[in-house]
Amino acid sequence: MEPKLLKGTALELEDFKRGKVFVVNDNPVAEYAWDCGVAVGRYLSELKSGRIMGRTCYGCSRTMLPPRMFCERCFRPTDEWAIVQDTGVINTFSLCYITWDMKKLKDPEIPAVIEIEGASKGMGILHLIGGCDPRRVKVGMKVRAVWRPEKERVGAITDIQYWTPIR
Amino acid sequence: MLERKTSNQGLSSWRGSIPVGNRYTVGPAAEIFFKTLKEKGQILGSRCNRCEMTYVPVRMFCERCFSELREVVPVGDRGILVAFTRVAIDLEGRRMQEPQTIGAARLEGASTLLIHRVLVPIQKARIGMKVRLVLEPLSRRSGGILDIRGFEGG
């Protein structure tokens, strides 16, 4: 099928480099500081200390991860902080051969949802699988967190480098 | 559930920066306008004979009758100052060292106004005064509105 001819001027990167057309380049500074709130603030500071922190609601007996101050099922504030383990089970995963900015990867990144032991069933976080052959990765596989060294931890989810199979 | 902080230590926020670099092309009409301004030091406009209007700068269509504008006409480098104002705050909201005067002038043959710097001292500026365009020398022109230095008296 013939491609539809669209009106307009087709331009390529080379045209900009050569100054073929007049162009205004702008790089506004879009810095932000997003307040974490009580729950995520505690979650991140516990990650810095090398712990994963959830929160329990007595009403429905769920331990939520990441923690939340409010239970959306019981419509009441949650009750207690609860440290959970740094082991879990793969719920789902993907082999990703491109980066976020569309560059090809030879070895895939493996994002996965990991259900974490100590939290309620189905409570999981999105993270990366690493330290193993991508072909080994299966739903249901038991994994444990590989933490960054203490002095490299900053209070971010990346304080866990990746999750790796428990042999 | 509310959080009360009594010290500015240990404030928990996630900091980041969103890359929003962008490139804006001037479009086919302005391309003609700026190319001529840069290379020939001439101001061009677009003529709509139906509405008897000459738009400066060059436009693709008439905003009154929506006709496509294909007639490009030169306009003079002299005109009348229609309005002006003193600007003392810059784009970042800071007080400027030297306040500037910005004005709008109708060049000979144009129906619309051109806004630019008024180069006469503000005490000498008058609504209705004759002005002429002062351009940067050819070697300093890059195909932007600042290829025009501003309106000088006379």
Side-chain angles (χ1 to χ4, degrees):
Chain A
M1 202 159 82
E2 282 285 297
K4 252 175 87 170
L5 284 172
L6 296 166
K7 274 177 116 171
T9 311
L11 293 168
E12 294 178 14
L13 188 59
E14 278 309 307
D15 296 330
F16 288 102
K17 287 184 182 165
R18 281 190 285 118
K20 185 177 172 194
V21 289
F22 294 119
V23 66
V24 176
N25 293 312
D26 191 17
N27 257 301
V29 172
E31 287 176 4
Y32 64 88
W34 184 44
D35 181 53
C36 300
V38 180
V40 172
R42 180 72 185 270
Y43 178 62
L44 294 179
S45 77
E46 291 294 334
L47 282 173
K48 188 167 183 204
S49 306
R51 289 187 292 269
I52 304 176
M53 180 69 95
R55 195 150 162 99
T56 304
C57 170
Y58 294 155
C60 55
S61 307
R62 285 186 312 154
T63 296
M64 300 176 211
L65 187 74
R68 296 198 280 288
M69 299 312 289
F70 185 77
C71 180
E72 76 279 10
R73 289 189 187 179
C74 308
F75 283 108
R76 55 184 287 283
T78 50
D79 300 287
E80 195 181 36
W81 297 103
I83 303 238
V84 298
Q85 292 174 323
D86 65 353
T87 53
V89 165
I90 294 180
N91 178 301
T92 180
F93 71 96
S94 245
L95 299 181
C96 197
Y97 289 89
I98 53 170
T99 62
W100 71 273
D101 55 347
M102 312 262 279
K103 294 204 257 286
K104 280 193 184 154
L105 288 171
K106 187 168 155 290
D107 299 312
E109 279 194 324
I110 312 173
V113 174
I114 298 143
E115 281 190 41
I116 293 182
E117 275 179 83
S120 299
K121 181 97 182 66
M123 288 289 170
I125 60 164
L126 187 70
H127 214 290
L128 295 169
I129 306 294
C132 72
D133 186 337
R135 290 167 294 184
R136 267 192 66 188
V137 181
K138 301 258 181 297
V139 169
M141 198 164 102
K142 286 193 170 46
V143 290
R144 64 171 173 80
V146 174
W147 294 87
R148 285 192 199 280
E150 188 177 351
K151 57 177 165 20
E152 284 177 35
R153 298 201 288 256
V154 298
I157 195 59
T158 45
D159 289 352
I160 297 172
Q161 223 182 325
Y162 53 75
W163 298 69
T164 203
I166 296 171
R167 282 161 220 287
Chain B
M1 260 196 289
L2 293 176
E3 200 174 20
R4 182 168 172 253
K5 300 278 189 190
T6 50
S7 110
N8 63 3
Q9 307 302 304
L11 289 174
S12 59
S13 65
W14 186 260
R15 284 164 196 274
S17 164
I18 305 171
V20 279
N22 58 84
R23 229 175 224 163
Y24 189 59
T25 51
V26 300
E31 194 72 34
I32 297 168
F33 179 81
F34 286 117
K35 197 163 170 1
T36 309
L37 173 58
K38 179 186 176 187
E39 290 171 9
K40 300 201 188 134
Q42 229 190 5
I43 306 292
L44 294 180
S46 290
R47 181 73 189 163
C48 177
N49 285 310
R50 264 182 83 173
C51 304
E52 293 183 332
M53 293 257 328
T54 301
Y55 292 95
V56 173
V58 175
R59 309 284 284 279
M60 291 196 75
F61 66 94
C62 175
E63 62 191 44
R64 284 161 180 75
C65 67
F66 293 104
S67 318
E68 198 181 335
L69 296 177
R70 285 189 214 95
E71 197 186 327
V72 169
V73 296
V75 297
D77 67 344
R78 274 158 221 281
I80 305 289
L81 190 66
V82 167
F84 61 93
T85 190
R86 183 171 172 274
V87 176
I89 313 281
D90 70 14
L91 286 174
E92 316 277 299
R94 294 180 296 236
R95 190 144 282 275
M96 290 162 82
Q97 289 256 18
E98 291 295 321
Q100 283 203 334
T101 309
I102 306 290
R106 187 172 287 112
L107 299 173
E108 257 168 10
S111 312
T112 58
L113 303 175
L114 187 69
I115 293 178
H116 222 293
R117 296 182 277 235
V118 175
L119 302 172
V120 295
I122 195 164
Q123 301 85 347
K124 298 233 157 65
R126 295 283 181 278
I127 292 176
M129 74 184 275
K130 290 197 170 85
V131 289
R132 61 180 171 80
L133 279 183
V134 176
L135 302 182
E136 295 292 340
L138 175 61
S139 57
R140 301 253 302 256
R141 298 204 291 257
S142 57
I145 199 63
L146 297 180
D147 287 357
I148 297 169
R149 206 177 279 170
F151 303 119
E152 188 54 83

